[in-house]
Amino acid sequence: MSTNGDVVEQKEPPTPIVSVDDPEESGSAEDEESERDEDDEDEEEEEPTLKYQRITGAIPDLLKKDSASAVAVCNKLIALGTHAGIVHVLDMTGKRIKSYKPHMATIVDISLDAGTDFVATASMDGQVVVHSLSTPEKYSVDMKRPMRTVAMEPNFAKKGSRAFVCGGLSGALVLREKGWLGHKDTTLYQGEGPIWQVRWRSKLIAWANDNGVGIYDQNSQTRIAYIDRPSDSPRAEVFKCNLHWQDDSTLIIGWADLIKVARIRARARTNDSGSGNLSPLMVEITAVFKLDCMVAGIVPHPTLLPPSAIDGLPESLKPEGSKQRQPQTLTSFLIVAYTPPETFDDMDVVTEDRTRQARKQAERPEMRIISRQGEELAADALSVANYQSWGCNDYAIVEAVPLDDPLVTYAERSYIVMSPRDLVKVMPRDRRDHVEWLVERGQYEQALAAAEEIEAQEKAALLRVPSSIDEPVVEKPHLSAKEIGQRFIEHLVSEGEFVKAAQLCPKVCAQDSKRWEDWIFTFAQKRQLQACNFSIIPYVPTNHPRLDHMVYEMILAHFLTHDRKALLQTIKEWPRDIYDMPAVIIAVRSELDKTTSSSSTISPPSLNSPSSMSGPTTNDTAVLMECLAELYIANRQPGKALPYFLRLRRPNVFDLIKENNLFTDVQDLVLLLVEFDHELMEKAKAKNDGESDKEKANGDVKGRRKPAEEDIKSEAIKLLVDNIHSIPITRVVQQLQQRPYYLFLYLDSLTKKDPHLSSSFADLQVKMYADFAPPRLIDFLRFSSSYDLEAAFEICKAQDLVPEMVFLLGRMGNNKQALTLIIERLGDVHRAIEFAKEQGDDDLWEDLLLYSETRPAFIRGLLENVGPEISPIRLIRRIKNGLEIPGLKEALIKILQDFHLQISLLEGCGEILNGDIGDLGTRLRAAQEGGFLLSMATQCDICSQPLADTPEHSLALLYLCRHVVHATCVPGSERVALPTPSLVSGIGVGSRGINGSIAL
């Protein structure tokens, strides 16, 4: 997989990969792509292990007319040597920091010290130059022969010896160091051909010549080992030797198609006398394997160990504690693999064939990871410019960070690969790269899960997971979980998996209202708003975020057309302010009009008509009406919702009317309201009857009373009666005339509240009582005087209501006819007597007596009920001789007993009266004869002046009722004579009272 610039493509052996950087091979690329597609069908593609990034910056300009020949990296600085003898110092982004030209010919080898202060170069011009980047310090030596390699001692900048070792075509390995008297050259080894490469680590120096690789110990100043080169190896100058110190005791050798690993260890001490001349160190070859390619460069590379491999290790080798939770690695080899072009077997034969004479084009180089057992773990084709023209010695690879750096994790490692025209950064792929690889291959579900896990861990740790230690490098932004989710939804929609795509929307869209709207409209365009259990609609947010009102209205319109039950549920659940309520009401009302028209029902605009209210409703019509009612309620228009709730028979209608004071709106819905209430009453009555039957069957009826019909009150009638100021009586009567029973209930309740309210409908009430409550008609006739007597009589006569007819005849003054009805129709002597008593007409009594002469039962009844109205003697005298009257004796005895009782009562009452008169007279006399205290301050009860203000020779009058007044205040007082002195003195008033001027 590629990162920036699509530099790398995964290797698909055996088919070579053509880079997009080579347009001249586009034709062959198409063929190879088609072949690769065929291979993909047979073999599942494996995820790459490495990722690549071409370093740009100033490099394209620097190598436009020049080419790279050597490279070294240390502390995020790159030292690049060219064939023009120039050294460019760059950062990891390719930005040029410094350039200088120490040589006139190709720089074959370059070295950086650990502090990145000194750069050592070896060139074909025979010069070896050590140049300081921060100071003028510089060392240059002319070796007279082309130089091939140079290496500075470790920590070169910190040591005063400034030692470095170099070699070349002269065949001598020379150590040059600074002493007291100047620089000193020491030849460490010579005589076996040119020195091709030298590397210095700690106190060990490794070099390569035509015969093999030698290792020199600086402490013992001896060569401790020499590793022979196979005799069948190609020429040394054709395929360069690559030496790399993995650590202080491990040397990796990659030469031509062979890799060797040498381990340096201390030699065991023995008592053998001959061992005294041996070096204290010895070399052991731990690995040797041959490849099917040439090694153009080699570095150690840690490879992640899968958990299955860790489980297979012995218990003693398994990591413990926190180490086990960290990624476990094994060190493998990362090589730049070069495949030489094909050659003909008869190259020594002279030929004129131009194709055989032309230089064969090289294959694309590859990055391969080779295990310690020689197995190829991964292989990627490197995309570099003009690779057909480069040989094995034109490539190089160096570590950007040493393998033994303890502060660098596996994900932070990186390498730099050099070709004459490119620098490519090689990095291990991390989890983010794995996510992107899954996305590229359409494995969105796994990619989304992995991305969410990464983001959750990053959030928990409050830091970004770095993909490289080189922070200045501008990397391609990683795909977020939301972006992956967006692509996943696009993929699901394209595959027709709309339900799964809809379920993913809340996670992907989250608070992004624009993204929500785009996907909802996408589902709408594909007609999938309601596919398979509503698809995306149940996940549409109504708050946080709040979408445009058009989105919600579109969903409601969809439900209105396809699923009206879902429309009703949505209206109930959604907030009222997220869509244009009036617009939705108009749409639903229009659809209701169409539905009612098609189902032959009356259109809702005439809902106020009772006939329309009681008409049938289809299921769709009922749902639409309920939707409309809910919308009106949500829009604060309960009055408009009331007709629909009534037609739908919703039990909360009465609460709705009371809570919202909708009495005025009920004016034209009276019949519908009463009908609905009557239905509720019938249901309640049926329920009570059912419960009673059940209790009776269970024998549990003790102490329980079956509710009477009157116990179930009509709530609608009560509402109409209690709110006559808002619901006019005439309007109610007009609407209820179609249903007389409901009208009777209303007028009856109205009469109970105030008879004057229904007085104008008294004639109608007579008819209603006669039809629906005959026992209560007589009471109404008695207390009401607003009805027409003749009309009422005719109604009663039509229904043969004799008691009511008797009452009406009596009220009309036709007492005789009324009495005749009582006697002939009712035969009730007691009622006849009561009627005669009520009328107080002696002629009526005479008729009654006359009628009773031949009827013993009436005679007995009259005898038992005689009173002040009729004398018993008068009745007894009219009894004919010989007429047998059952119970006559008892009746006469009762008359006599009642007479004696009356006499006794009269005598008792007289005695009581006389006693009370005597007692009251005595009390009156005592009160009048009693004394009365007066003083000079006593006021006149007429003028309210003190009696002391009485004029001379005038009187003060004292009444027996204890009132005292001036005589002058009472008319006629001048005719009262003055009392004699003896009388005054007898009273005891004297001069101290009121001058004795008191008249009794």
Side-chain angles (χ1 to χ4, degrees), residues 679-696:
E679 291 178 7
L680 295 179
M681 293 172 61
E682 292 294 332
K683 291 180 180 178
K685 183 180 178 181
K687 181 179 179 182
N688 291 333
D689 292 342
E691 292 178 353
S692 300
D693 294 341
K694 184 177 180 181
E695 291 173 356
K696 185 176 180 180

Side-chain angles (χ1 to χ4, degrees), residues 19 71 130 149 201 207 212 448 509 522 594 653 677 709 746 885 890:
S19 169
V71 65
V130 179
T149 183
R201 177 74 179 245
W207 75 93
L448 182 59
C509 300
T522 299
K594 296 178 183 177
V653 167
D677 184 54
E709 185 175 356
Y746 173 70
I885 301 173
E890 291 81 4

Side-chain angles (χ1 to χ4, degrees), residues 10-276:
Q10 186 178 7
K11 177 186 176 185
E12 295 291 338
T15 304
I17 300 177
V18 178
S19 169
V20 297
D21 294 336
D22 304 308
E24 66 273 9
E25 298 188 8
S26 59
S28 59
E30 293 177 359
D31 298 337
E32 294 172 357
E33 285 293 337
S34 61
E35 295 177 4
R36 186 176 65 179
D37 292 340
E38 295 176 359
D39 293 340
D40 287 343
E41 297 177 358
D42 301 331
E43 181 179 356
E44 184 179 355
E45 185 177 5
E46 295 182 359
E47 182 178 359
T49 306
L50 303 172
K51 60 180 178 180
Y52 306 88
Q53 177 183 9
R54 179 174 282 109
I55 301 176
T56 54
I59 292 178
D61 294 333
L62 296 177
L63 301 182
K64 186 178 295 185
K65 297 182 178 180
D66 199 355
S67 56
S69 57
V71 65
V73 180
C74 186
N75 290 344
K76 300 182 182 180
L77 284 184
I78 303 174
L80 182 66
T82 70
H83 285 281
I86 302 174
V87 174
H88 301 290
V89 181
L90 314 165
D91 63 10
M92 298 300 291
T93 65
K95 179 181 178 182
R96 184 171 64 174
I97 299 174
K98 185 176 182 180
S99 296
Y100 64 95
K101 185 175 182 178
H103 300 282
M104 300 303 295
T106 300
I107 297 175
V108 183
D109 198 9
I110 190 168
S111 176
L112 271 170
D113 77 320
T116 64
D117 191 23
F118 288 89
V119 180
T121 54
S123 174
M124 294 297 291
D125 62 1
Q127 298 282 332
V128 176
V129 178
V130 179
H131 190 281
S132 174
L133 298 178
S134 58
T135 65
E137 187 175 358
K138 179 181 178 181
Y139 306 98
S140 178
V141 56
D142 186 2
M143 305 302 292
K144 306 301 183 182
R145 294 289 302 274
M147 302 303 295
R148 302 293 302 187
T149 183
V150 63
M152 293 182 288
E153 66 176 324
N155 296 318
F156 180 87
K158 297 180 180 180
K159 295 184 179 180
S161 61
R162 296 291 195 265
F164 62 89
V165 61
C166 58
L169 298 183
S170 64
L173 181 65
V174 178
L175 172 64
R176 184 178 177 84
E177 54 187 344
K178 184 178 180 182
W180 291 101
L181 300 177
H183 288 85
K184 180 180 68 173
D185 292 341
T186 302
T187 301
L188 302 180
Y189 190 80
Q190 64 178 355
E192 293 185 357
I195 305 298
W196 299 110
Q197 193 169 73
V198 62
R199 293 294 179 260
W200 194 341
R201 177 74 179 245
S202 184
K203 296 298 181 180
L204 299 176
I205 301 174
W207 75 93
N209 56 25
D210 285 345
N211 294 333
V213 177
I215 301 176
Y216 178 82
D217 179 16
Q218 195 175 12
N219 288 333
S220 61
Q221 296 185 356
T222 58
R223 187 179 71 176
I224 61 174
Y226 194 82
I227 303 170
D228 292 334
R229 188 166 179 243
S231 58
D232 58 347
S233 299
R235 298 198 314 268
E237 68 272 15
V238 177
F239 301 106
K240 65 180 181 180
C241 178
N242 296 277
L243 303 178
H244 186 90
W245 286 101
Q246 178 177 326
D247 51 43
D248 290 347
S249 59
T250 305
L251 176 65
I252 301 174
I253 306 168
W255 203 343
D257 56 354
L258 201 65
I259 295 178
K260 292 184 179 181
V261 180
R263 172 74 69 176
I264 292 88
R265 61 181 184 178
R267 189 185 299 275
R269 295 184 178 181
T270 62
N271 295 326
D272 189 359
S273 60
S275 63

Side-chain angles (χ1 to χ4, degrees), residues 520-528:
I520 292 172
F521 283 119
T522 299
F523 274 72
Q525 291 172 359
K526 294 183 178 294
R527 302 181 182 276
Q528 295 296 328

